[in-house]
Amino acid sequence: MATYLTQEGYDKKMAELAELEAQRPAIKQAIAEARDKGDLSENAEYDAAKEAQGMLEMRIAKIKELVATARIIDDSNLNTDEVQLLNKVTIQNKANGAKMTYTIVTENEANLAEAKIASNTPIAQALIGHKKGDVVEVKAPAGTMQFEILDIQIG
């Protein structure tokens, strides 16, 4: 199954992969040092180093699989007529007047700290396909909320 990424997201995954692969020699060294300390059956350092190696290799394999199946999203076709993937959308909560700006991204690139929400979240699902000035309803655990779309920009 293909994974959709922006060029920026793809580049970040490749950088993360390189960083993880660079950790391999240090973990091999830690395993060798722990092995040199004697009896492996009671060697907590050895067990911890082997576990760290397993976790690292699992993460590397996961990222390699992700980038191998990645499809880069062509952002040259983006527009701001209506909300779509990779748009930066400013919305206003109709109940309390709070304004928020989110960029709608793929699931693999979502990061709330950077105001990037996944396209499969309830708020993104409600916004996609709507135009500036539209009021959309988002069903949340706390109840239904209404947001007005104030602005749509290319992310």
Side-chain angles (χ1 to χ4, degrees):
M1 188 172 111
T3 303
Y4 293 93
L5 293 172
T6 61
Q7 186 63 52
E8 176 188 3
Y10 180 83
D11 293 344
K12 280 184 180 178
K13 289 295 179 191
M14 292 304 288
E16 182 181 357
L17 180 60
E19 188 178 305
L20 291 172
E21 287 178 333
Q23 293 176 21
R24 281 176 166 158
I27 288 185
K28 283 183 181 178
Q29 180 67 32
I31 290 170
E33 287 174 10
R35 191 181 308 122
D36 291 343
K37 291 184 179 172
D39 185 8
L40 296 182
S41 65
E42 295 178 18
N43 190 330
E45 270 184 63
Y46 178 78
D47 292 341
K50 287 298 280 184
E51 185 175 331
Q53 181 184 39
M55 298 291 280
L56 178 71
E57 292 302 327
M58 185 175 68
R59 184 73 185 130
I60 288 171
K62 218 173 183 178
I63 293 174
K64 280 186 173 182
E65 181 182 340
L66 181 100
V67 297
T69 61
R71 298 249 191 281
I72 307 298
I73 298 168
D74 179 9
D75 56 7
S76 66
N77 296 329
L78 293 180
N79 66 58
T80 57
D81 296 340
E82 60 184 36
V83 178
Q84 59 185 345
L85 193 65
L86 302 183
N87 279 154
K88 184 182 275 190
V89 185
T90 302
I91 56 176
Q92 183 172 26
N93 185 320
K94 296 298 278 180
N96 63 16
K99 291 181 183 178
M100 297 151 279
T101 301
Y102 295 113
T103 302
I104 300 174
V105 297
T106 63
E107 192 176 330
N108 292 302
E109 297 178 67
N111 182 340
L112 206 49
E114 296 176 5
K116 293 180 177 181
I117 60 171
S119 59
N120 61 353
T121 60
I123 194 162
Q125 291 281 307
L127 294 170
I128 291 174
H130 288 275
K131 299 176 182 324
K132 185 176 175 178
D134 286 357
V135 174
V136 298
E137 288 190 353
V138 177
K139 289 179 179 35
T144 302
M145 301 185 301
Q146 291 189 326
F147 296 98
E148 181 180 354
I149 299 172
L150 301 179
D151 192 30
I152 305 169
Q153 300 174 348
I154 294 177

